[in-house]
Amino acid sequence: MRKHGGPEVFRITGARQGLAADVRGRERRYVISMTIRTLSVIAAVVLWNVERHVAIVALVLGGALPYIAVVIANAGRERPPTLPSTFVPGPTRPELPTGDAPAGRRTERSPGQS
């Protein structure tokens, strides 16, 4: 996704992004992972006689990253986004009090009641 200085664009559909954009994103993640792997293997070689513990950690990282990168790259397409909520609740009305009639009001009695 490119950042432009223009106004913010809202997505109003539940459709996924295009296949070309999805493949491009996967390739980008794979290249970044392989770059980190290459740098960690180079760091392991450079640090082997200087700081052996750090070199071993970098070597393990360089050995594990290809597997992780392939799993991430082949994870599949993203899930379709949920649609934005179009329901806007209206203003709430206050409820009438329950119970007895308000003070100061008389209730009418039918004839025959005392």
Side-chain angles (χ1 to χ4, degrees), residues 40-41 43-61:
S40 67
V41 169
V45 170
V46 170
L47 294 173
W48 189 257
N49 289 330
V50 178
E51 191 69 38
R52 182 120 346 156
H53 298 309
V54 176
I56 291 172
V57 169
L59 195 60
V60 168
L61 181 66

Side-chain angles (χ1 to χ4, degrees), residues 19-90:
L19 184 60
D22 184 56
V23 170
R24 187 173 41 243
R26 288 187 199 192
E27 288 173 349
R28 184 180 310 126
R29 288 189 300 268
Y30 185 79
V31 168
I32 289 170
S33 298
M34 289 297 105
T35 303
I36 293 171
R37 175 193 185 243
T38 304
L39 292 175
S40 67
V41 169
I42 291 171
V45 170
V46 170
L47 294 173
W48 189 257
N49 289 330
V50 178
E51 191 69 38
R52 182 120 346 156
H53 298 309
V54 176
I56 291 172
V57 169
L59 195 60
V60 168
L61 181 66
L65 266 177
Y67 173 75
I68 295 169
V70 168
V71 169
I72 290 172
N74 293 330
R77 297 190 71 183
E78 84 281 355
R79 295 175 190 247
T82 59
L83 293 175
S85 175
T86 57
F87 177 72
V88 179

